[in-house]
Amino acid sequence: MIVRDRFRGLFPKYFLALFLAVAFPLVINGSIEAWFGYRDQRARLDQLLGVQATSAAAEIHNFISDIASQLGWLVQLPWTDEADEGRRTDALRLFRQAPAVVSLTLIDNNGLERLYVSRVGLNRIESRTDRSAEPALVGAHARQVWFSDVSYNRGSEPYLTIALVGNRSAVGAVIAEVNLKLIWDVVSAIKVGETGLAFVLDRPGRLIAHPDISLVLRGLEETTSQPFRTMRDAIGPGAGFATGRDGQGRPVAARAAPVAGPDWTVVVAQPLSEAYAPIYAALRRTTVLLAGSTVFAGLLAYAFAHRMTEPIRLLEEGTERIGAGSFEHRISIQTGDEFQRLASSFNRMAGELALAQQHQERIAKLKRFLAPQVADLVDRAGDDSVLDGRRTDVVVVFCDLRGFTAFSAGVAPEEVMSVLSEYYEVLGRVIARFEATLISFSGDGLMVLVNAPVPVEEPALRAVDLATEMQKRVQGLIGGWRSRGYQVGFGIGLASGSATVGRIGYEDRLDYTAIGSVVNLAARLCASAADGEILMDAGTAASVRGKRSLQDIGSRQIKGFDDAIPVFGISF
Amino acid sequence: MAAAAAWTTSSRAQKPSMPVIGYLCPESPELFGSRLKAFHQGLREAGFVEGRDVAIEYRWANGQYAQLPALAGELIARDVDVVVAPGGAPVALAAKAAGVTKTIVFEMGGDPVQLGVVDSLSRPGGNITGISSLSVDVSPKRLELMHELLPATKTLGVVTNPTSPTAGSQLQRLQAAAETLGVHLQILRASKEEEFESVFSSVARESTNALVFTSDPYFAFRSRRLADLALKYRVPAVTQTRDFPTAGGLMSYGGDFVQSHRRAGIYAGRVLKGEKPADLPVQLVTKVEFVINLKTAKLLGHEFSPSVVSGADEVIE
């Protein structure tokens, strides 16, 4: 129940506030870090790919320029009209040096073919065919080195023709056919990260080198070259790498670099999954950290919210219990702050409430046998030792109805109770007015004590006046009763003397009472009193003599007393 | 044969989940050893090691080329994942004719397009692709080399295997080359080992004292025998494979078989990885090698010109 309550009210507010206070900056910080990490990594990747593209282009360029420089050795010596066996030796040696060269043609300074050697076809020696108008030669004369467009041998193997002239016209020119399939050795050795690769496209965008040779052998086909060309075009001339998809549809990051000479493009491509692996790793790290921090923030917020709301809950619970009457309950909060102070003031309040409650209970108890004003007096004194047992002089007053037993047997119980309540109502008012102490009821009789527990001035006189007033009032009632045909009378007996007074009984059933022969005497005098009579002993009579008009009734034999006792009456 | 038995055992010990290569071989394990080694190397480059990643079912025709269709049929019945048909056009043609439905990876010296094995080099079509070693294409170069060694000889002997599917085209090319070079050809035929001796003896008797062998696997795998006979009859001869000068023959000019068989291994591996034969263009071997044996040249009383020696990829001294 408490747990459920926890999720209403203050707890969720505190929890949310504290949680956000911790988690929000963490998330912001993590996001910013991730963003900058991403940007840095992109910049790094761009730089790396740029360097790799340039170095790949340099390697491809080396492949071509190596062949060109080998060819340079064939155009060193001026031509004569005689056949030269040495040139064939040089050409065949070049075959061994440059495995990519498929055929070589040597042209003299007049543009005539002097030697043709091939790995596959038959050699031609001194054919003296005029080849001066061929584009290769024209191009070479214009630029010293001339590169043809890539052609595809039998529609499959990419071939390049290189033409080279010497530094003077007398040395002639050389034309070489190069099988570009052998760039595979170069291109497959280029490492771009772990799984990246490099490929080469010619100017129209046909694939001429790729680590997968089977793609190169279909480079002439549009479907093969198209995705590579798309990637090359996506990179464009601007800075920064482009993203695209490779042959298998994987997203890749790519950069390009030009190959000087044949006007090719080298593209290096790295799968994004690998290129961004550090980013992803950093993101994963950040996410895990954020998740951890969020959980930590949650725990922290929970703990703090608990710390803040727990005292409030204890206070709430405590006040409820105190409100329900458990004044002995104490709220235990040891936070050393306002809550603890609040709890101790609650505890103080509970203590005071308990005292007030005790006070109320005591008054209620006293009021049962003391006149209310006396009870208040005792209570205000804050001490009920006045009720402790002691021996003191008291005046005991007994009174009861005559003929009540016979009356009660003859009428309905309702009538009996109505008579009794009228009777006691009258007596109660009189007892309260004279501040006498009501000791007990029994049927139609009652016992009243004067001068105990609270002493009064002239107790005997007060008791006599009390009895007189009782007799007057009850006789008033009796007049009414008689008119209804009820034959009852009322008699009172008083006696004064020393008696033991104090509380008797157990737990909540405590009564205040008097014990002593004076009590018996008063009871006997009451019993012997006739209707309308007030009988008192000599002690009482002596105390009021001269103040009230007494009648000496003479000595009467009273039950329980050996000698006859002088009895006095009073007229009213 | 012992090796064949060992291979059969290893193929039987394979795990059932392993892919199976059917290896249809025209010769015996002994004659094919160097080729098989190159094939295994290529297979390893593609990520497959026999017994570990792949099982190989070998079928050896042991020189009986007529058995090839039946052996191909056995591989079909065995339901192998890929059929490798190395060692010449007859093997590829036998595998194709036997109705292999799985991918066939061939290794041959001939032109697969001309032989009708594939549609084109870049798009082979069907379920077949492979490697061509260019050996057939360079037959005229052998004639040229022999002519250069013996410029005075006006008639040169050419040995052809009439059962070879490339025999006709090679002879045609050789005739054209002979015209260019200004020599006559004496065509000699041999399709069985027993016929070799008569070829050499007939040349030795006549003025035509040199032999140019056409490209043919049957000849290539019997280089030792041919070298022995060439020495015995003191006949300068040139064949397609380096095995010949290595065994004491004069010279050889042809595609590098190590490269072609290694690439066949790579292609077999790629097919096992799920690539379609139609996406694997026919590869031509890039290396044509020229090997000469100077010791034999001296023995036969001929001398190579310096330019020829400088152009040789390997010189045996």
Side-chain angles (χ1 to χ4, degrees), chain B residues 119-131:
Chain B
D119 299 340
S120 76
L121 295 181
S122 59
R123 288 283 172 190
N127 63 330
I128 187 162
T129 187
I131 319 295

Side-chain angles (χ1 to χ4, degrees), chain A residues 370-398:
Chain A
L370 295 182
Q373 52 272 58
V374 178
D376 271 344
L377 197 74
V378 171
D379 187 57
R380 266 199 297 282
D383 180 11
D384 59 357
S385 60
V386 72
L387 301 177
D388 291 346
R390 64 197 157 97
R391 195 155 185 84
T392 185
D393 283 332
V394 294
V395 183
V396 182
V397 180
F398 271 91

Side-chain angles (χ1 to χ4, degrees), chain A residues 184 187-188 197-198 207 209-218 224 228 248, chain B residues 267 270 275 279-281 283:
Chain A
W184 184 85
V187 89
S188 65
L197 53 83
L207 191 65
H210 189 284
D212 183 357
I213 193 74
S214 59
L215 290 174
V216 174
L217 295 178
R218 292 201 311 268
T224 308
F228 296 102
Q248 286 99 55
Chain B
Y267 261 18
R270 288 179 67 167
E275 287 194 55
D279 292 335
L280 299 172
Q283 287 197 45

Side-chain angles (χ1 to χ4, degrees), chain B residues 10-50:
Chain B
S10 75
S11 70
R12 229 176 258 137
Q14 36 118 348
K15 283 178 249 153
S17 59
M18 263 194 252
V20 182
I21 294 175
Y23 195 85
L24 183 61
C25 183
E27 296 295 338
S28 65
E30 288 79 14
L31 290 178
F32 225 70
S34 55
R35 275 75 170 168
L36 198 56
K37 198 175 140 206
F39 173 75
H40 276 294
Q41 190 195 336
L43 208 53
R44 197 159 45 242
E45 281 174 42
F48 290 91
V49 173
E50 185 183 5

Side-chain angles (χ1 to χ4, degrees), chain A residues 138-154:
Chain A
V138 174
H141 279 299
R143 269 164 286 176
Q144 201 187 13
V145 187
W146 176 86
F147 298 98
S148 72
D149 286 341
V150 174
S151 63
Y152 287 82
N153 179 36
R154 304 187 61 180

Side-chain angles (χ1 to χ4, degrees), chain A residues 88 96 119 123 181 218, chain B residues 144 148 253 279 284 310:
Chain A
R88 195 157 76 101
R96 265 222 331 271
R119 287 184 194 273
N123 301 339
K181 220 167 78 175
R218 292 201 311 268
Chain B
E144 185 185 64
E148 201 168 317
Y253 193 82
D279 292 335
L284 301 179
S310 71

